[in-house]
Amino acid sequence: MQRLYDFLRRHPTGVDTFWALLLLGLSVLSSAEGSTRGGTALKIVVALALSTVIALRRRWPEKMLLLAAATGVAQVAFDVSPDVSDFAMLVIIYTVSSGNTRWASRFALVGGVLASPIAAVRWPTPHSELGSTLLGAVFVSVPFVLAWVLGDSMRTRRAYWAQLEERATRLEKEREQQAKMAVTAERARIARELHDVVAHNVSVMVVQADGAAYVLDASPDQAKQALETISSTGRKALTEMRRLLGVLRTEEGGESGETYVPQPDVEQIGELVEQVRGAGLPVDFTVEGAPRPLPSGVELTAYRIVQEALTNTRKHGGPDVGASVRLTYFDDGLGLLVEDDGRGAQHELYEDGGADGMGHGLIGMRERVGMVGGTLDAGPRQGGGFRISVLLPARSGR
């Protein structure tokens, strides 16, 4: 049955032709019995025309509507009384009203409404009163109106389903675009995290390694302490990198079998400052206001901003540089102020991504702050050095 159904859907004109031949056969049989009005030949011509309307209604609906209208006018003009072939007029009214050609649909409705009164006047029932004739005309008009209503309802339903399909297609494309954007954003986030981890910890390790090499012979104890700092810093960097890479390896909903350390937050800024002090950079750290919990994204951003700022101070501040970090808790957010009294970085190093185009400078900071809806102000400090001022909202998001 399914194959037969598919075959019929692929050959609509063939199906219509079958019904047209059946209608023509019935009309010829009724005409062969003779009629009181009009000749048999005229009835066969009308039946052929209306059968053609049935056969080609889906291929040329507007033309077949005009052919049906012309055939109806010819019936009235040549006194060919209605018979079974006139059923084609109901079919063509349904066909054009279910299409998208509005003039044809209106023309079919008007023609269907007028067909019955015209037939009642042209072929009145003998010995019938005027009221009965009008009532019969109205009753016969009902099938034409119902055919038009059914076709228009089908047109509306098709338009609705087409709109749903278009919307589903559009949503699918938007979902694919959002997935690509999410992948891009996740890559950028991981790149920022890796940059912060590697840049900070490797910078500390390089400084300690240079110091250990310098005092190895003169002060073995100081060199040993520097090597211990290198070891602890390297372990910390490896732990954070395992956390990042482990998240990438873990499938959604799966278990990795490893325990990852939590993301850095504001409370760990003190440990970060102590680590930087141990690397030889004097840092003054103060906290103002009453500490309170903040969104994890805001706390991670604050930690990474301080980490990046102190790393840049160590890299670009020059000898004998000192820094200060101040956290200020406001009612509506958290303020960060990181300053140093060094020589600062060149303009192209902190604004244009590095002299070689490979650095990040403040670009990564601005991206982090922008993701949580904060503001960042950075630049050379009056009197020398560099200054970074950040205001983060109490609620993460733009």
Side-chain angles (χ1 to χ4, degrees), residues 137-289:
V138 172
F139 180 77
V140 176
S141 299
V142 171
F144 293 93
V145 176
L146 289 179
W148 185 90
V149 171
L150 183 60
D152 189 71
S153 176
M154 183 61 67
R155 178 191 62 82
T156 304
R157 183 178 180 183
R158 288 173 182 170
Y160 174 72
W161 283 109
Q163 184 180 7
L164 288 182
E165 291 178 357
E166 180 185 0
R167 181 181 179 184
T169 303
R170 184 173 66 253
L171 290 177
E172 184 67 23
K173 292 181 179 179
E174 292 178 356
R175 187 160 45 246
E176 292 178 358
Q177 293 176 354
Q178 290 176 356
K180 293 179 180 179
M181 293 174 61
V183 170
T184 303
E186 184 65 13
R187 288 177 177 175
R189 186 191 69 82
I190 294 172
R192 286 192 299 268
E193 291 290 327
L194 288 176
H195 169 264
D196 292 340
V197 171
V198 173
H200 172 74
N201 292 290
V202 172
S203 176
V204 172
M205 293 167 65
V206 170
V207 172
Q208 293 296 318
D210 290 341
Y214 181 77
V215 300
L216 182 60
D217 296 329
S219 180
D221 294 337
Q222 190 174 354
K224 180 180 178 181
Q225 182 179 0
L227 292 176
E228 291 176 352
T229 302
I230 293 174
S231 177
S232 62
T233 303
R235 289 191 181 95
K236 182 179 179 181
L238 287 175
T239 300
E240 294 195 35
M241 291 183 67
R242 286 195 190 100
R243 175 179 59 82
L244 289 174
L245 299 178
V247 171
L248 296 179
R249 288 194 301 265
T250 304
E251 296 181 354
E252 183 178 359
E255 296 181 357
S256 62
E258 299 182 17
T259 302
Y260 303 113
V261 297
Q263 290 185 335
D265 53 21
V266 175
E267 294 182 356
Q268 298 184 28
I269 293 179
E271 300 178 5
L272 174 65
V273 170
E274 291 297 331
Q275 183 185 18
V276 174
R277 288 172 180 168
L281 175 65
V283 181
D284 182 21
F285 179 55
T286 57
V287 178
E288 299 179 357

